[in-house]
Amino acid sequence: MTLLVTAATGHLGRLVVDSLLARGVAPADISAGARTPDKAADLAARGIRVVELDYARPETVTAALDGVSRVLLISGTDADRVSGHRTVIDAARTAGVERLVYTSAPRVDEIDYALGADHKATEEAIAASGLTATVLRNNWYTENYLDAVARSAQTGEIVAATGDARVASASRADYAEAAAIALASDDTIGGTLELGGDVAWTYDDLATAASEIHGRPVAYVPVSLEQLTAGLQEAGLDAGTAAFVAGIDDAIARGALSKTDGTLARLLGRPTTPLREGLRAGLAAR
């Protein structure tokens, strides 16, 4: 059985490869797809097959899937990422891939938000393909808050337009381990899993964690979407990008990241990484 990890040189992809190896998967049974194979030299040195794989270049996808049994499709970051995802899905169907695992976003079929639209479209493409698939709807990575927490050391504030919403984040390593389990085992065949941390925390909790990490008071400062958008533009973002970023806060305020039912912990067989621990580890690794 050959397992292909796409976007293997990214933060999540590398952790998935590490987790597969830790679970006893032989290096020779792992293929690491990379847009720039030279960036995966360290993976090749570990005995992993490195293949060129660019979602925007179908010929590389077809070649990378040769002889592959299961594929982890890590969601792309390009503006037209749905097209790239469909390229992988179509190639996987043509190649007769046994299973596809996709890293999606939370609650895309319950809450309408811009970031979730591409993931919803990809999920629909997977369903239409007829492939046996596992969809992992990853909640926020705790690492998404490293910049805000780092800035708060100087400003004493974490500013957001999320109201009193909750976020069930987990560490990137938690989600990577879940992806490795879904890819290498038969525990999640055909499932759509909402994955999140054990605790859904508030932004006041985030500020408290930052206070403990920095050893100085940090407060959560709630603002309106209009205030946030204006502030982002003043910081140099163009109007479209500012609106997109503010839209993420709007989705959070409407509960997009609040769901937690223990599914991730049960899949991992252990508790998820607590907020403070994840923040401390992420800041220390910088």
Side-chain angles (χ1 to χ4, degrees), residues 104-116 119 136-145 160-162 164-170 175 194-203 206 245-262 264 275:
S104 189
R107 308 185 72 177
V108 296
D109 57 347
E110 300 176 61
I111 298 176
D112 183 22
Y113 59 106
L115 187 62
H119 293 287
L136 305 177
R137 290 181 176 167
N138 293 345
N139 203 297
W140 245 219
Y141 301 146
T142 296
E143 289 85 351
N144 290 354
Y145 292 93
T162 53
D164 59 358
R166 291 182 176 271
V167 177
S169 74
Y175 295 117
E194 293 280 353
L195 301 182
D198 294 335
V199 176
W201 46 263
T202 67
Y203 275 65
L206 178 63
V245 173
I248 293 174
D249 273 26
D250 177 54
I252 294 172
R254 289 186 287 118
L257 305 183
S258 64
K259 189 171 184 177
T260 178
D261 62 5
L264 178 56
L275 175 63

Side-chain angles (χ1 to χ4, degrees), residues 20-202:
L20 287 171
L21 293 172
R23 291 179 61 80
V25 178
D29 293 333
I30 302 172
S31 287
R35 181 179 293 178
T36 308
D38 288 348
K39 293 182 178 180
D42 59 315
L43 299 179
R46 298 165 75 180
I48 294 165
R49 174 177 174 249
V50 174
V51 294
E52 183 178 14
L53 194 159
D54 184 340
Y55 297 162
R57 296 169 57 213
E59 69 276 10
T60 68
V61 178
T62 299
L65 285 170
D66 185 35
V68 168
S69 307
R70 300 180 181 183
V71 177
L72 172 63
L73 172 55
I74 294 178
S75 56
T77 57
D78 293 340
D80 187 20
R81 61 178 162 183
V82 177
S83 177
H85 294 168
R86 287 185 177 130
T87 295
V88 177
I89 293 164
D90 291 345
R93 181 183 56 204
T94 300
V97 165
E98 170 188 317
R99 187 183 312 162
L100 180 75
V101 179
Y102 174 62
T103 61
S104 189
R107 308 185 72 177
V108 296
D109 57 347
E110 300 176 61
I111 298 176
D112 183 22
Y113 59 106
L115 187 62
D118 286 352
H119 293 287
K120 183 178 180 181
T122 301
E123 289 189 17
E124 290 170 349
I126 292 171
S129 74
L131 286 166
T132 298
T134 299
V135 175
L136 305 177
R137 290 181 176 167
N138 293 345
N139 203 297
W140 245 219
Y141 301 146
T142 296
E143 289 85 351
N144 290 354
Y145 292 93
L146 293 181
D147 286 342
V149 170
R151 283 195 303 270
S152 72
Q154 282 72 49
T155 65
E157 297 179 344
I158 292 177
V159 179
T162 53
D164 59 358
R166 291 182 176 271
V167 177
S169 74
S171 72
R172 188 177 279 114
D174 290 340
Y175 295 117
E177 185 176 344
I181 291 169
L183 190 63
S185 75
D186 295 330
D187 296 344
T188 64
I189 295 176
T192 295
L193 308 181
E194 293 280 353
L195 301 182
D198 294 335
V199 176
W201 46 263
T202 67

Side-chain angles (χ1 to χ4, degrees), residues 262-277:
T263 298
L264 178 56
R266 287 192 294 273
L267 184 60
L268 300 179
R270 60 168 176 80
T272 60
T273 305
L275 175 63
R276 287 167 181 77
E277 182 179 327

